[in-house]
């Protein structure tokens, strides 16, 4: 193909494109593995090329070392690494700190550090030459950190020193139970053997058995002139290989603490008298191995460090696997069980989830067999009947809050239920490891993980779980506990949100006006809606006391019509009627002042400001729509208490909002009604108009919080005072809308004196009821405004309220639009009346005192 010119290649590709069936068939029949791999490689994300001289990672993540089969469920691992690879005395995964709490952080002072070889002393010439030679050999191996390569290098040096025919090198190992044994790194190798040939054979020798075992156990060298005469010699190897062993020089390799870390063995001296090893051979061998012990120690530390790093990566991968999915308990339990089974090489894994309500029971059980790891599908098939699972071991672990490791169930006599599983030989429990899964605080067991029948990696036979398995399962349980707890919290939250949705649906249904009431209003309004003039809606002196509830709803519809909101935003007449009635319904009738009548009066004042106050020409239609909706909804579901009471009484509403608690609640109620079926008067708006309107409604309702008013008013007053208010500036317009909301909310202070006096009595009644609650429920003395014992101070408090809150606001609005002056005039007149009453009350007090 390379010899073809470009035009021929193009014709061939075009022909293949036109004959796809042939191309597919040819590829299936002829493609090699390299071609397939190359095809895959071009279609996956590649790793950026490393620059020359940079080092690649030593090894990939342990959990991902083996490719996953195509039919394996995503997120469900198959076996990639076994716990047996870590079956040696590594540092504990989980330790207890000074306070007894479990931690992954190990005391750094206990970590062994690499050692430096001691310097050889110099003596006479011969000794100096020998030392120089040894130093060269030691220097050659001092930088080696790979144990296998180091052992081969040691073999080459020993051969140079003593010239034997065969060599073996054994290292001392310990399993997780701290039982010592010997593993060959070189066995029966001869001069000229390569590293690969030398490291092929690996045998295990028992401690204190045979010549090598004896040297390892005693720490003393052996120089045997005739191997067959020594009872410790095992001639089995000679019989297999046909080799004749005559002399043996076997030396211990010790570390800096004089502990045996290995054994070096030389067989059959090539030269010398009778082919035996000399005393000088012993000295040279011993001197060299003294340094080898230190170098081996450092190499083993490095190997242990890499192994611990690999182990930590396993735990990190497990944590990542668990925490990437926290929405379903079954899914996370499936991942946990699959990971533990594949790593721990157990036949079965059962996870029991504790019942939070009942102490001695489990709410759910998840069971998985080792054979299920290769199955596909979202939910693993489980043929095991969980009702037949023995819960007793799990219950015991839950109660004791400690692990349980039984090497042979049949020999364990602690539990009376030991033989209950013997009826089914295929499912019989032989070895068992059970550990508690605790919550984040480690003070409560939320589950139990039970493994059954540890399988040997090589033979597949059942064996006991060892200490290494206990440590891994204990570490797994910590991550599993966090994952399970988070998932349970998510499911609880999800259920709570679902309940909230249902509750909102129910509330929305009951909060909406009935179809009968809506039809009645619709029919009445269709017949005739009174004009704004006849209802006196354009007057700043308006009072609702003479109107019926039906007339207030008709008046509300009239205001929307006269502002052209119904026409401009294509409101359905039926929706408007139902929305007005729904808003009215969501004000609590037993509240003395903050009820539907107050909302209606606030809305009428806004209508009068827009129309009679000539503000309508300054605002756009969306702003007027938002202000009219906000005035009607600004006190929805008012409880007759202020924000301070809500906070101090620790009402649930206080947990939802950090400030303007009731105002936020009023807006939420407003939003709920607007979104309820049949009340969607904003359905004619575009998406952008809808968002803008809702934002203005929210800010307008929040502006009725006098605490926010006090923060904002200074800037507004300065802008208008200095003639710096710019109508085109959105921030300035937002300030104006906020001030208008407050002006309308407190507009009762501007009404004719009889109306103002009557409204003040309603406000006082509501405030005094709150004061009574504060005494009874909060056990505190209410402020004068809420204290019915201070009723005589109402006139002076009204004067203070007008001076602090009202006068400057109405003065500013009158300066902005002279047509708003009636608000200021009404406020000033009422101040005079309240001032006169306050002076009269003061005279009565003085006269009474005299």
């Amino acid at each position: 193909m390379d010899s073809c010119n470009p035009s021929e290649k193009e014709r061939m590709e075009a022909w293949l494109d036109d004959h796809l069936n042939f191309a597919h068939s040819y590829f299936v029949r002829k493609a090699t593995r390299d071609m397939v791999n190359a095809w895959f490689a071009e279609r996956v994300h590649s790793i950026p090329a490393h620059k020359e001289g940079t080092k690649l990672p030593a090894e990939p993540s342990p959990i991902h070392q083996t490719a996953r089969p195509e039919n394996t469920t995503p997120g469900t691992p198959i076996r990639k690494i076994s716990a047996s690879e870590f079956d040696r005395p590594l540092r504990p995964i989980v330790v207890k700190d000074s306070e007894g709490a479990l931690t992954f952080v190990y005391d750094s002072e206990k970590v062994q550090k690499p050692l430096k070889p001691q310097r050889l002393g110099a003596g006479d010439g011969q000794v100096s030459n020998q030392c120089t030679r040894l130093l060269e050999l030691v220097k050659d191996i001092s930088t080696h950190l790979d144990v296998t390569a180091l052992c081969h290098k040691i073999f080459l040096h020993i051969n140079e020193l003593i010239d034997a025919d065969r060599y073996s090198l054994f290292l001392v190992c310990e399993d997780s139970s701290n039982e010592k044994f010997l593993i060959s790194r070189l066995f029966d190798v001869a001069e000229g053997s390569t590293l690969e040939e030398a490291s092929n054979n690996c045998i295990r020798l028992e401690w204190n058995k045979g010549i090598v075992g004896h040297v390892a156990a005693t720490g003393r060298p052996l120089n045997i002139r005739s191997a067959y005469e020594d009872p410790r010699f095992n001639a089995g190897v000679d019989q297999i290989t046909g080799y004749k062993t005559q002399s043996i020089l076997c030396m211990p390799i010790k570390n800096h603490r004089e502990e045996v870390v290995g054994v070096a063995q030389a067989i059959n001296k090539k030269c010398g008298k009778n082919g035996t090893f000399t005393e000088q051979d012993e000295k040279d061998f011993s001197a060299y191995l003294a340094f080898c012990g230190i170098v081996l120690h450092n190499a083993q530390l490095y190997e242990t460090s890499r192994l611990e790093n690999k182990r930590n990566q396993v735990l990190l991968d497990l944590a990542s696997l668990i925490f990437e999915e926290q929405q379903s308990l079954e899914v996370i339990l499936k991942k946990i069980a699959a990971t533990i089974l594949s790593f721990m090489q157990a036949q079965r894994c059962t996870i029991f989830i504790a019942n939070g309500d009942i102490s001695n029971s489990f709410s759910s059980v998840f069971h998985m067999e080792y054979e299920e790891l290769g199955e596909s599908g979202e939910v693993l098939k489980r043929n095991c009947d969980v009702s037949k699972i023995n819960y007793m071991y799990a219950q015991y672990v839950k109660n004791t809050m400690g692990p349980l490791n039984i090497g042979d169930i049949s020999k364990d006599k602690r539990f009376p239920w030991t033989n209950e599983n013997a009826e089914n030989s295929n499912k019989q429990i032989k070895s068992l490891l059970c550990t508690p899964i605790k919550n984040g605080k480690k003070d409560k067991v939320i589950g139990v993980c039970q493994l059954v029948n540890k399988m040997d990696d090589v033979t597949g036979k059942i064996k006991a779980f060892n200490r290494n398995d206990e440590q891994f399962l204990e570490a797994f349980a910590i991550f599993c506990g966090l994952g399970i707890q988070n998932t349970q919290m998510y499911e609880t939250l999800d259920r709570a949100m679902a309940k909230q949705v249902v509750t909102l649906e129910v509330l929305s249904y009951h909060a909406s006006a009935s179809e009968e009431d809506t039809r009645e209003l619709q029919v009445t309004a269709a017949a005739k809606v009174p004009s704004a003039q006849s209802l006196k809606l354009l007057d700043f002196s308006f009072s609702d006391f003479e109107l019926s509830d039906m007339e207030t709803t008709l008046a509300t519809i009239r205001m929307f019509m006269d502002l052209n909101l119904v026409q401009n935003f294509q409101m359905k007449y039926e929706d408007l009627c139902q929305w007005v009635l729904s808003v009215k319904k969501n004000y609590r009738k037993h509240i003395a002042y903050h009820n539907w009548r107050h909302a209606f009066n606030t809305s009428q004042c806004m209508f009068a400001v827009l129309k009679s106050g000539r503000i309508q020409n300054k605002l756009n239609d969306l702003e007027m729509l938002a202000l009219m909706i906000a005035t009607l909804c600004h006190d929805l579901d008012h409880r007759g208490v202020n924000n301070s009471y809500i906070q101090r009484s620790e009402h649930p509403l206080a947990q939802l909002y950090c400030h303007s608690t009731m105002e936020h609640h009023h807006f939420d109620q407003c939003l709920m009604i607007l979104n309820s079926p049949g009340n969607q008067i904003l359905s004619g708006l575009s998406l952008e108009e809808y968002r803008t309107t809702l934002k203005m409604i929210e800010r307008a309702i929040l502006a009725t919080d006098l605490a926010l008013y006090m923060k904002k008013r200074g800037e507004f007053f300065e802008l208008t005072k200095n003639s710096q208010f710019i109508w085109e500036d959105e921030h300035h317009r937002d300030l104006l809308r906020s001030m208008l909301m407050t002006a309308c909310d407190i507009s009762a202070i501007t009404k004719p004196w009889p109306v103002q006096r009557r409204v003040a009595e309603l406000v006082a009644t509501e405030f005094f009821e709150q004061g009574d609650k504060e005494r009874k429920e909060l056990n505190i003395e209410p402020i004068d405004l809420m204290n019915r014992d201070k009723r005589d101070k109402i006139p002076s408090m009204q004067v203070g309220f007008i001076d602090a809150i009202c006068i400057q606001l109405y003065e500013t609005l009158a300066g902005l639009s002279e047509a708003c002056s009636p608000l200021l005039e009404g406020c000033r007149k009422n101040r005079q009346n309240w001032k006169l009453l306050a002076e009269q009350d003061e005279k009565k007090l003085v006269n009474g005192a005299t």
Side-chain angles (χ1 to χ4, degrees), residues 419-434:
N419 295 320
E420 288 184 8
N421 294 295
E423 57 188 29
N424 190 341
S425 58
N426 293 329
K427 300 293 183 181
Q428 184 179 6
I429 300 176
K430 296 181 180 179
S431 61
L432 177 141
L433 178 59
C434 208

Side-chain angles (χ1 to χ4, degrees), residues 3 39 446 471 622 628:
S3 61
W39 184 89
I446 61 174
Q471 290 181 351
L622 281 180
M628 291 303 295

Side-chain angles (χ1 to χ4, degrees), residues 323-336:
F323 292 119
E324 71 181 9
E325 170 61 59
Q326 296 188 13
Q327 297 183 6
S328 168
L329 185 61
E330 184 172 1
V331 171
I332 196 172
L333 291 180
K334 170 184 173 181
K335 289 186 175 184
I336 290 173

Side-chain angles (χ1 to χ4, degrees), residues 394-443:
Q395 188 61 55
Y396 173 82
V397 168
K398 179 177 180 294
N399 293 338
T400 60
M401 298 183 69
L404 176 65
N405 188 351
I406 303 178
D408 189 342
I409 291 290
S410 63
K411 296 180 181 179
D412 192 276
K413 305 301 180 184
R414 288 176 294 175
F415 307 104
W417 59 81
T418 298
N419 295 320
E420 288 184 8
N421 294 295
E423 57 188 29
N424 190 341
S425 58
N426 293 329
K427 300 293 183 181
Q428 184 179 6
I429 300 176
K430 296 181 180 179
S431 61
L432 177 141
L433 178 59
C434 208
T435 195
I437 300 173
K438 300 179 182 179
N439 61 356
K441 295 181 179 179
K442 307 295 187 297
D443 60 351

Side-chain angles (χ1 to χ4, degrees), residues 199 226 308 688 756:
S199 56
S226 178
E308 289 178 349
E688 185 61 30
Q756 157 63 186

